[in-house]
Amino acid sequence: MTSSLLPPRGRRKLDESIPPLLRPLIRAYVLGYASTVAPRILTLVLQHVTRRRKVKGASSVTKPHDSESFVVSLQRILCGGLDLQRFPTFCAALVGGSTLLEVLLGRALSRLWTGQLPTLTRNRLSRWLSTFIAAWLSLRLLQSKKSDGFSETIPSTSASSDSGKQETIRYAGRTLDLTLFAAIRALDVIVGEIWAQRRRRRTAAGQWTQIESLVSKLTDPTIFAASSALVMWAWFYSPSQLPKSYTKWISSAAAVDPRLIEALNRCRTGQLLYGEDTGQAPLLQSMCVEYKWPPEWGDPVKAIPFPCEVVHMGCGPSCEYHALSRFYRSFKWSMATYLPLNLLARKKNLKGVRAAFLSAARSSSFLAAFITLFYYGVCLARTRLGPHVIGKDQQSRQTIDGGLCVGSGCFLCGWSVLLEKAARRKELALFVTPRAMATLLPRRYPLDKQWRETFTFAISTAVVFTCVRENQGRVRGMLGKVLGSVLEA
């Protein structure tokens, strides 16, 4: 259990050589270290291989410093994961602290309330309190690491200081994504348990209705669709609210010309106004030159609105043909990602290869439909439906391109999750929701408010860990299985 790379017998022997109380701590550290280091090593290897191919293509001589640079970078990654203020230590402190403190708190509660508390209540309370304390301290460990992105140097405002002196102000928010992940998971556990109890009662009474069954089935797709709408809106209008890696991945999948995004952003802010010369014509006219369109299409004075063919970026005037083209291109792009991963995860026989192709095709269809629905939603608002509902006058066109068309795409895209299996919808919903919530909160906030985030993380983690120890199935998805195997004595 300490390492999933070992066969069952090897894992069992390794576990037996470690004291039971320390097993969760060591498993957590190994898992945290692997999850921190492995993706960076994979990226480094791929970059190194790509660089060597380019060098070999240009010259038969390979520069020796390339290999040295690779080794130095590898050493930096391996050693960086051992930093006390990094994720592996956080995992060990959280899991190890909760299991070790549980023993001490259990004994203390037994002495304080001998015979007054039922055993189940006492065990549950000791687990919850021990996890709360461990979660608080472990998150504070992560938050103590200084980061340039969460600090700012400004001129000193102190009256006694020199005029040229500067001071550094630190901000909180570095662990916000982790806190939101824990909070959403805790909320899922609580709401899921309440709904499950309601279902058991009503089923036993013969009162469970088709509407309630439909609500159960549509909850995860609805959550995913709503979360995706928030994420895509943020990506389009305020990408700084999303992690850089997430923004980069969405941009790569969307394959949209940044000038088009900028034009619609300026429509929203009022910099680009239809029927008025505000100096914005060169933005889209540069696209007109590149795609060999009439230059008038990029002039907001003459083109009210600019044609939907500009949104299609070279696919012709038909919105439906553009949608089909988007689906085809996005499906190919997705298969190039999903198929190798599925082949690696399956058995290397005919049945395994077939299952890998089907799984990759389903996931690729979902992602392709997501992208297609976003673009077609824009076209629906701009051309197919919007003008007939809102109007075709200049002000209506400004309203549509000022946010309504993008909002339409954001609303539609997430429903593509219905193409996925129910289990996969659940995972996707729980993955996207914390990122959606992060778009509604500031990425940086005053340091004196950080205790609120720490408290939220501690109480949420305590709920999830306590539930895993008592009812692992209630913590849905892979997280429940991973935590169950890590916390096992």
Side-chain angles (χ1 to χ4, degrees), residues 47-89:
Q47 290 176 345
H48 181 67
V49 170
T50 303
R51 195 180 300 116
R52 285 179 65 89
R53 285 179 179 175
K54 289 181 179 179
V55 170
K56 286 182 178 180
S59 172
S60 59
V61 180
T62 303
K63 296 181 180 179
H65 73 81
D66 287 345
S67 299
E68 294 176 5
S69 175
F70 174 79
V71 173
V72 171
S73 299
L74 182 61
Q75 289 177 340
R76 190 186 306 116
I77 292 172
L78 293 174
C79 294
L82 301 174
D83 192 330
L84 290 178
Q85 293 172 304
R86 295 293 294 273
F87 189 66
T89 309

Side-chain angles (χ1 to χ4, degrees), residues 152-220:
E152 186 178 359
T153 302
I154 61 172
S156 178
T157 57
S158 175
S160 60
S161 62
D162 298 333
S163 58
K165 194 173 181 180
Q166 294 183 323
E167 61 178 338
T168 300
I169 300 177
R170 288 187 61 205
Y171 293 95
R174 184 168 167 268
T175 55
L176 183 61
D177 291 327
L178 189 60
T179 300
L180 287 173
F181 174 78
I184 293 299
R185 283 293 188 163
L187 191 62
D188 180 67
V189 165
I190 294 169
V191 174
E193 182 60 28
I194 293 172
W195 185 257
Q197 290 180 7
R198 171 188 169 85
R199 180 169 186 169
R200 282 195 295 269
R201 287 196 307 269
R202 291 181 63 81
T203 301
Q207 297 176 339
W208 186 252
T209 64
Q210 291 293 329
I211 294 177
E212 288 170 314
S213 180
L214 185 64
V215 168
S216 296
K217 292 178 181 178
L218 289 181
T219 297
D220 287 329

Side-chain angles (χ1 to χ4, degrees), residues 258-281:
R259 291 169 292 186
L260 179 60
I261 295 179
E262 182 61 28
L264 291 174
N265 266 277
R266 293 181 186 181
C267 283
R268 179 169 174 76
T269 58
Q271 292 175 268
L272 193 155
L273 296 172
Y274 286 126
E276 296 183 26
D277 186 2
T278 56
Q280 303 299 319

Side-chain angles (χ1 to χ4, degrees), residues 94 97-99 101-103 105-106 109 120-136 186 189-190 455-467 469-470:
L94 173 59
S98 65
T99 52
L101 283 173
E102 183 184 341
V103 177
L105 287 175
L109 292 175
L120 177 62
T121 303
R122 188 173 63 247
N123 290 341
R124 183 176 293 170
L125 184 59
S126 64
R127 286 169 184 165
W128 195 93
L129 287 174
S130 62
T131 306
F132 181 89
I133 296 169
W136 183 290
V189 165
I190 294 169
F455 179 79
T456 302
F457 176 80
I459 198 171
S460 301
T461 307
V463 169
V464 174
F465 273 44
T466 303
C467 184
R469 300 293 294 275
E470 295 186 15

Side-chain angles (χ1 to χ4, degrees), residues 136 139-145 150 170-176 179 445-458:
W136 183 290
L139 191 70
R140 292 290 297 145
L141 179 69
L142 275 185
Q143 292 169 342
S144 65
K145 186 176 179 63
F150 291 87
R170 288 187 61 205
Y171 293 95
R174 184 168 167 268
T175 55
L176 183 61
T179 300
Y445 60 90
L447 197 61
D448 61 346
K449 305 290 194 302
Q450 186 170 257
W451 68 269
R452 300 175 184 176
E453 182 194 336
T454 309
F455 179 79
T456 302
F457 176 80

Side-chain angles (χ1 to χ4, degrees), residues 321-389:
Y321 177 78
H322 171 243
L324 292 173
S325 173
R326 277 285 174 184
F327 185 90
Y328 173 70
R329 285 179 287 161
S330 301
F331 184 84
K332 284 203 310 180
W333 182 86
S334 304
M335 281 293 283
T337 302
Y338 286 122
L339 185 56
L341 294 175
N342 276 274
L343 287 172
L344 285 173
R346 305 279 178 172
K347 292 182 178 180
K348 305 303 184 288
N349 54 29
L350 185 60
K351 186 178 180 180
V353 171
R354 181 175 176 274
F357 268 96
L358 290 175
S359 178
R362 182 186 288 272
S363 296
S364 298
S365 297
F366 149 68
L367 187 54
F370 186 100
I371 297 168
T372 301
L373 286 174
F374 178 81
Y375 277 104
Y376 195 63
V378 172
C379 290
L380 282 175
R382 297 192 81 248
T383 307
R384 293 293 184 250
L385 292 178
H388 303 287
V389 176

